[in-house]
Short mmCIF file of all heavy atoms in Angstrom, two decimals:
data_model
loop_
_atom_site.label_atom_id
_atom_site.label_comp_id
_atom_site.label_asym_id
_atom_site.label_seq_id
_atom_site.Cartn_x
_atom_site.Cartn_y
_atom_site.Cartn_z
N MET D 1 8.69 -11.84 11.89
CA MET D 1 7.76 -11.18 11.10
C MET D 1 8.20 -11.20 9.60
O MET D 1 8.48 -10.16 9.03
CB MET D 1 7.66 -9.72 11.67
CG MET D 1 7.35 -9.53 13.00
SD MET D 1 6.73 -7.88 13.28
CE MET D 1 8.06 -6.80 12.83
N PRO D 2 8.07 -12.22 8.93
CA PRO D 2 8.75 -12.22 7.67
C PRO D 2 7.85 -11.85 6.49
O PRO D 2 6.89 -12.50 6.24
CB PRO D 2 9.40 -13.69 7.47
CG PRO D 2 8.33 -14.53 8.29
CD PRO D 2 7.66 -13.61 9.42
N ALA D 3 8.44 -10.77 5.88
CA ALA D 3 7.72 -10.54 4.57
C ALA D 3 8.78 -10.60 3.54
O ALA D 3 10.02 -10.36 3.76
CB ALA D 3 7.24 -8.99 4.65
N TYR D 4 8.41 -11.04 2.38
CA TYR D 4 9.34 -11.33 1.21
C TYR D 4 8.83 -10.49 0.06
O TYR D 4 7.68 -10.86 -0.41
CB TYR D 4 9.42 -12.85 0.92
CG TYR D 4 10.03 -13.64 1.96
CD1 TYR D 4 9.23 -14.11 3.06
CD2 TYR D 4 11.38 -13.88 2.24
CE1 TYR D 4 9.64 -14.89 4.15
CE2 TYR D 4 11.99 -14.56 3.26
CZ TYR D 4 10.99 -15.06 4.27
OH TYR D 4 11.52 -15.75 5.24
N ALA D 5 9.61 -9.63 -0.40
CA ALA D 5 9.20 -8.87 -1.67
C ALA D 5 9.77 -9.52 -2.90
O ALA D 5 10.79 -10.01 -2.98
CB ALA D 5 9.84 -7.43 -1.51
N PRO D 255 10.34 -1.34 7.05
CA PRO D 255 11.35 -2.20 6.42
C PRO D 255 11.88 -3.31 7.25
O PRO D 255 12.35 -4.30 6.73
CB PRO D 255 12.51 -1.09 6.17
CG PRO D 255 11.83 0.25 6.25
CD PRO D 255 10.60 0.06 7.05
N ARG D 256 11.76 -3.10 8.51
CA ARG D 256 12.24 -4.10 9.50
C ARG D 256 11.50 -5.44 9.34
O ARG D 256 11.99 -6.48 9.95
CB ARG D 256 12.12 -3.64 10.92
CG ARG D 256 13.14 -2.55 11.28
CD ARG D 256 13.40 -2.17 12.68
NE ARG D 256 12.04 -1.77 13.21
CZ ARG D 256 11.69 -1.92 14.49
NH1 ARG D 256 12.55 -2.49 15.33
NH2 ARG D 256 10.62 -1.51 14.95
N SER D 257 10.33 -5.42 8.80
CA SER D 257 9.61 -6.66 8.70
C SER D 257 9.88 -7.46 7.47
O SER D 257 9.41 -8.53 7.28
CB SER D 257 8.03 -6.35 8.75
OG SER D 257 7.74 -5.59 7.70
N ILE D 258 10.85 -6.90 6.60
CA ILE D 258 11.23 -7.65 5.42
C ILE D 258 12.46 -8.51 5.60
O ILE D 258 13.52 -8.05 5.86
CB ILE D 258 11.39 -6.49 4.29
CG1 ILE D 258 10.14 -5.79 4.12
CG2 ILE D 258 11.72 -7.21 2.97
CD1 ILE D 258 10.10 -4.71 2.98
N ALA D 259 12.11 -9.83 5.33
CA ALA D 259 13.22 -10.71 5.57
C ALA D 259 13.99 -11.11 4.31
O ALA D 259 15.19 -11.58 4.38
CB ALA D 259 12.64 -12.03 6.14
N GLY D 260 13.35 -10.84 3.13
CA GLY D 260 14.07 -11.23 1.90
C GLY D 260 13.49 -10.28 0.81
O GLY D 260 12.37 -9.90 0.68
N ILE D 261 14.43 -9.88 -0.05
CA ILE D 261 14.11 -8.98 -1.19
C ILE D 261 14.58 -9.69 -2.39
O ILE D 261 15.76 -9.88 -2.75
CB ILE D 261 14.81 -7.60 -1.03
CG1 ILE D 261 14.45 -6.99 0.30
CG2 ILE D 261 14.28 -6.71 -2.21
CD1 ILE D 261 15.18 -5.65 0.61
N LEU D 262 13.70 -10.20 -3.18
CA LEU D 262 13.88 -11.12 -4.24
C LEU D 262 13.70 -10.37 -5.67
O LEU D 262 12.66 -9.89 -5.89
CB LEU D 262 12.85 -12.24 -4.17
CG LEU D 262 12.57 -12.84 -2.72
CD1 LEU D 262 11.54 -13.86 -2.73
CD2 LEU D 262 13.87 -13.42 -2.14
N THR D 324 18.32 -9.63 -1.89
CA THR D 324 19.02 -10.78 -1.21
C THR D 324 19.18 -12.01 -1.95
O THR D 324 19.97 -12.76 -1.71
CB THR D 324 18.30 -10.99 0.26
OG1 THR D 324 16.97 -11.35 -0.20
CG2 THR D 324 18.29 -9.83 1.08
N PHE D 426 14.99 -19.85 0.30
CA PHE D 426 15.14 -18.52 0.93
C PHE D 426 13.98 -18.12 1.72
O PHE D 426 13.92 -17.16 2.38
CB PHE D 426 15.56 -17.41 -0.06
CG PHE D 426 14.65 -17.53 -1.28
CD1 PHE D 426 13.32 -16.98 -1.27
CD2 PHE D 426 15.21 -17.98 -2.44
CE1 PHE D 426 12.47 -16.92 -2.49
CE2 PHE D 426 14.35 -18.03 -3.68
CZ PHE D 426 13.09 -17.40 -3.53
#
Side-chain angles (χ1 to χ4, degrees):
M1 304 201 298
Y4 297 87
R256 288 193 299 155
S257 59
I258 300 179
I261 307 173
L262 321 172
T324 52
F426 47 76

